[in-house]
Amino acid sequence: MQKITPFLWFDNNLEEAINFYSTVFKNAKISSINPMSATFELEGQQFMALNGGPHFKFNEAVSFFVNVETQEEVDYYWNKLTADGGAESRCGWLKDKFGLSWQIIPSILGKLMGDKDPVKAKKVIDAMLTMNKIDVKGLQEAYES
């Protein structure tokens, strides 16, 4: 077992949430589930979850960062996680229909923002700040302009 495991508090929709995440992530495994709690794994990351009720809500102070390589991956995760009541935010952030925050970030963003040329890096950052869902081609065009 991992030394540190995220523990998620759901508002009496635990089973629905875990089944949803299991359809979004190709490498998903539900280890145990009962009416009160569950353990599951997404892409090798273990989670524990509780059907805790309405007392606590997710917020943007905690999010899950999904590292992707292509625009197709960005689009896939973005569309899946914003479906059925999710909400777009800025700079690659979104909330799913359960209120959990995610960042769908292509690895090229960090590479371009970290360029040794501060002018190129700033152009990439400025472009990113105008985006909701990250547009890889838009980042590359900003970098090359």
Side-chain angles (χ1 to χ4, degrees):
M1 183 174 226
Q2 294 173 169
K3 189 78 160 174
I4 298 173
T5 302
F7 191 98
L8 306 174
W9 180 298
F10 289 94
D11 183 4
N12 297 315
N13 52 7
L14 169 83
E15 187 170 357
E16 178 189 357
I18 292 178
N19 288 332
F20 171 71
Y21 299 135
S22 294
T23 67
V24 172
F25 294 93
K26 293 172 180 64
N27 295 313
K29 180 174 90 175
I30 299 172
S31 304
S32 69
I33 189 165
N34 63 57
M36 200 61 197
S37 65
T39 57
F40 63 104
E41 190 173 298
L42 304 174
E43 302 296 336
Q45 174 65 54
Q46 294 176 357
F47 294 86
M48 296 180 79
L50 176 70
N51 243 345
H55 308 295
F56 300 107
K57 304 287 184 208
F58 296 122
N59 66 52
E60 293 82 358
V62 173
S63 64
F64 292 103
F65 186 100
V66 181
N67 188 31
V68 298
E69 295 300 321
T70 65
Q71 186 66 52
E72 292 76 23
E73 284 183 287
V74 170
D75 295 345
Y76 170 82
Y77 288 110
W78 191 269
N79 294 335
K80 290 286 190 176
L81 290 168
T82 58
D84 301 322
E88 295 186 6
S89 190
R90 305 290 293 162
C91 305
W93 291 60
L94 62 87
K95 278 190 176 185
D96 67 29
K97 63 185 175 179
F98 303 102
L100 194 56
S101 292
W102 299 84
Q103 297 176 60
I104 311 302
I105 306 297
S107 59
I108 194 168
L109 177 60
K111 291 175 189 168
L112 297 179
M113 284 180 18
D115 194 274
K116 291 179 183 177
D117 182 338
V119 173
K120 287 185 172 190
K122 182 170 180 352
K123 287 180 181 181
V124 171
I125 292 168
D126 290 345
M128 180 211 46
L129 291 172
T130 68
M131 299 175 182
N132 286 358
K133 176 176 70 173
I134 299 297
D135 174 10
V136 173
K137 184 177 179 186
L139 295 175
Q140 291 170 323
E141 288 172 353
Y143 179 80
E144 294 166 3
S145 67

